[in-house]
Amino acid sequence: LHRAIAIDGPAASGKSTLSRLLSQRLNLIMVNSGAMYRAVTWKVLQRGIDPNDREAVVQALREMELECGVADLVSTIKVDGIDPGDELRSESVNSHVSAVSAVPEVRECLVSLQRDYLKLGDVVMEGRDIGSVVFPETPFKIYMDADPSVREARREVVGEVDSVAARDRADSGRATAPLKIAEGACVLDTSGHTIESGVEAAIEILRG
Ligand code: CDP
């Protein structure tokens, strides 16, 4: 039976960096669940569908083919045969992904695809509800956080147009799968950590 490490937290809290390093150190498949929500959002926008029209979003979801895979221990996603690549982090996807991922049918579909990754091997999966919904049984749960100013600055450094604060408000305030600290999760605040000290702290947490 394969095991999962769940890493949740708000935007730019350091989830991807930690997941990547844990994946390399512990030889785990790294799954970015946000990329899956972004891929659905990208397709909805590409088709000119209003991301706030739930019925239209559900209809579009039924019509798209999502292929989730792994390459070199990193999750991959294709929508109707296309890897959206950098477009997953475009300004328009950033502004609409929270609404699209609040649609229950979207979550149901993607949570099931996320659980399927365990058939392939041990995983480290990052997102918003991995410890609470996707793998509630795992004993390995980390909730990452950092000061809002630190998180905004991290996005600016990579030149991404993203309102981190607005997305956090939307993610925390929505009725479906609001961002919260999962039961049993250990909180890791990375504001004062370097990347390396953050990884060491995470490994300490996972050792229990
Ligand atoms: O990397 P970043 O923190 O910017 O975000 P992400 O992990 O790529 O997720 C993008 C958006 O997808 C989030 O703001 C959530 O609205 C949604 N999401 C979600 O609802 N549930 C997840 N497990 C992962 C992402």
Side-chain angles (χ1 to χ4, degrees):
L1 208 65
H2 295 299
R3 292 185 296 180
I5 297 177
I7 300 185
D8 292 300
S13 52
K15 303 185 297 291
S16 300
T17 304
L18 178 64
S19 308
R20 188 175 340 105
L21 293 169
L22 288 178
S23 149
Q24 290 165 356
R25 281 237 321 227
L26 307 172
N27 214 32
L28 312 168
I29 299 171
M30 164 189 176
V31 183
N32 178 352
S33 69
M36 299 165 75
Y37 290 96
R38 288 171 179 277
V40 172
T41 306
W42 173 78
K43 186 71 192 187
V44 162
L45 294 171
Q46 217 204 20
R47 289 191 51 190
I49 290 161
D50 175 0
N52 295 302
D53 180 341
R54 294 173 89 113
E55 276 182 30
V57 168
V58 172
Q59 184 60 30
L61 177 75
R62 305 273 176 253
E63 287 165 7
M64 67 179 84
E65 191 202 350
L66 292 168
E67 283 169 79
C68 299
V70 180
D72 297 329
L73 283 183
V74 179
S75 62
T76 58
I77 179 130
K78 282 186 181 175
V79 192
D80 295 329
I82 295 170
D83 172 358
D86 291 344
E87 290 181 36
L88 292 183
R89 304 208 68 94
S90 69
E91 186 175 0
S92 57
V93 170
N94 279 339
S95 359
H96 297 293
V97 63
S98 193
V100 170
S101 58
V103 176
E105 288 87 345
V106 171
R107 303 206 71 85
E108 198 188 328
C109 169
L110 297 189
V111 165
S112 156
L113 292 171
Q114 287 154 16
R115 289 183 180 143
D116 283 346
Y117 271 103
L118 267 201
K119 295 175 188 161
L120 304 179
D122 292 335
V123 305
V124 52
M125 190 175 294
E126 56 158 308
R128 299 291 186 288
D129 63 341
I130 310 305
S132 57
V133 176
V134 183
F135 300 124
E137 307 294 331
T138 183
F140 309 115
K141 300 183 190 180
I142 294 180
Y143 182 91
M144 298 192 77
D145 212 345
D147 296 336
S149 59
V150 170
R151 298 191 287 108
E152 293 278 359
R154 286 177 182 162
R155 282 294 140 94
E156 274 164 31
V157 166
V158 293
E160 197 177 312
V161 183
D162 186 12
S163 175
V164 167
R167 199 143 55 80
D168 285 348
R169 267 196 307 280
D171 286 346
S172 306
R174 66 191 182 193
T176 3
L179 173 66
K180 59 167 190 233
I181 303 175
E183 211 183 303
C186 236
V187 177
L188 175 59
D189 190 312
T190 60
S191 310
H193 272 293
T194 62
I195 290 174
E196 201 39 47
S197 70
V199 177
E200 292 309 326
I203 288 178
E204 280 306 307
I205 289 172
L206 295 172
R207 285 209 180 103

